[in-house]
Amino acid sequence: MLKIGAHMSTGKGFDRAARDAVSIGADAMQVFTRNPRGGNARALTEKELAGLADYRDEGLAVICHAPYTINLASSKEEVREFGVRTIREDLVRMDLLGAAGLVIHSGAHTGAGQEAGEARLIESLAQLLPQVPAGRRILLETMSGSGTELGANLEQLARVLDHFGGAPTLGLCLDTCHLHAAGYDMTDWVAFKARFTALMPWQVVGCIHMNDSKTPFASHKDRHERLGAGSIGWAAFETIVRAERDAAFPIIMETPNDLAGWGEEIAHLREKE
């Protein structure tokens, strides 16, 4: 059965985050590996790891998300080195947390051009992929195409994955808000999936971030909205959960909500499976 959840706060521990997820009917959750704006990561305690493991044993799927400050495509070497160093640490944390994937943004070329940025992203990933723990994946997130962002173009993402020959340690996280803003119509999932699989196998998908969009189609702006309250609409999300009911990857909401709101979204999606 398709696993559905939301992004949980870890302010009171990763075990508490899991408890909160289960309390709203989720069987999946996403968590930041550390403060989303970067900085040192606090030590993981044996108690919270054991508590989280209990929830995983009961079927809770976990996805990790790296800090937003990482830019593996930057034209500045020190920025790329910081990103590689941080992700190396977070690959260890991901393994301890039992997460299936670590979501990272593809970065921005910061004025050097898409081709140069793509080459730098590939160079950074080449340092990291050999260190991904067995059974885990780095997941490049699809982006909205704002500014000099990479990752808003499926052809570009396919080239990056193809460079590594379909390595099992690298995949994608599809964000519905970002894709819609980038010019991929989320209201026609069948057409989108056909377009995607013409470029790369569907098995590269390791997670879907299910978010509505505050801005119109092809706006190139990353503005998440609650499901059904944006320019994508409930019908599209209902179609996605029916189409992916047997998917091996989880669906995660990052909508501007509280626990009760995410619980309502999860319940609505479950009704439409």
Side-chain angles (χ1 to χ4, degrees):
M1 183 178 74
L2 179 64
K3 291 183 180 292
I4 304 175
H7 185 102
M8 294 287 109
S9 168
T10 59
K12 295 182 179 180
F14 288 92
D15 53 342
R16 176 63 180 269
R19 190 179 82 181
D20 287 344
V22 171
S23 76
I24 58 172
D27 50 13
M29 72 171 185
Q30 179 177 268
V31 290
F32 283 119
T33 50
R34 63 182 74 210
N35 187 301
R37 300 300 171 189
N40 294 328
R42 68 171 179 80
L44 300 170
T45 69
E46 290 186 12
K47 178 179 177 294
E48 69 181 316
L49 289 176
L52 174 57
D54 288 342
Y55 285 106
R56 290 202 321 272
D57 289 344
E58 294 171 5
L60 182 72
V62 180
I63 295 288
C64 286
H65 198 303
Y68 296 131
T69 49
I70 289 170
N71 184 0
L72 298 182
S74 175
S75 57
K76 296 181 178 179
E77 185 176 357
E78 64 272 21
V79 173
R80 296 197 308 277
E81 288 178 350
F82 167 79
V84 169
R85 184 170 64 252
T86 300
I87 292 176
R88 278 183 179 140
E89 294 174 4
D90 285 352
L91 289 173
V92 175
R93 291 171 71 80
M94 171 181 74
D95 199 34
L96 289 171
L97 294 168
L102 174 65
V103 176
I104 67 171
H105 291 182
S106 300
H109 62 73
T110 60
Q114 290 281 330
E115 187 174 342
E118 187 179 318
R120 292 188 178 113
L121 171 61
I122 287 171
E123 180 184 347
S124 298
L125 289 171
Q127 299 177 58
L128 291 166
L129 292 184
Q131 299 176 51
V132 177
R136 319 290 188 200
R137 285 200 281 184
I138 287 176
L139 301 174
L140 298 177
E141 183 172 354
T142 56
M143 303 306 293
S144 65
S146 174
T148 66
E149 277 182 342
L150 304 181
N153 180 284
L154 291 181
E155 285 79 7
Q156 181 179 73
L157 290 167
R159 283 195 301 272
V160 173
L161 267 62
D162 187 60
H163 178 86
F164 296 101
T169 50
L170 182 63
L172 298 182
C173 170
L174 307 182
D175 187 300
T176 55
C177 171
H178 299 172
L179 285 163
H180 202 67
Y184 296 97
D185 185 3
M186 292 291 97
T187 67
D188 191 343
W189 187 248
V190 173
F192 167 74
K193 194 167 180 178
R195 188 172 178 181
F196 185 101
T197 53
L199 295 168
M200 49 193 146
W202 193 242
Q203 288 72 22
V204 304
V205 178
C207 177
I208 291 180
H209 286 169
M210 188 171 278
N211 304 303
D212 215 325
S213 176
K214 288 182 182 293
T215 60
F217 175 70
S219 67
H220 297 291
K221 292 181 179 179
D222 176 6
R223 302 287 186 274
H224 294 191
E225 180 57 283
R226 296 186 308 279
L227 299 189
S231 60
I232 300 175
W234 265 121
F237 301 118
E238 293 165 2
T239 296
I240 292 171
V241 295
R242 284 194 295 269
E244 305 305 328
R245 62 168 57 93
D246 297 321
F249 53 76
I251 283 178
I252 300 292
M253 264 76 76
E254 298 175 317
T255 50
N257 247 322
D258 54 14
L259 284 176
W262 286 320
E264 291 172 2
E265 289 178 334
I266 292 167
H268 184 111
L269 293 172
R270 288 286 183 216
E271 291 175 359
K272 304 301 178 180
E273 278 187 90

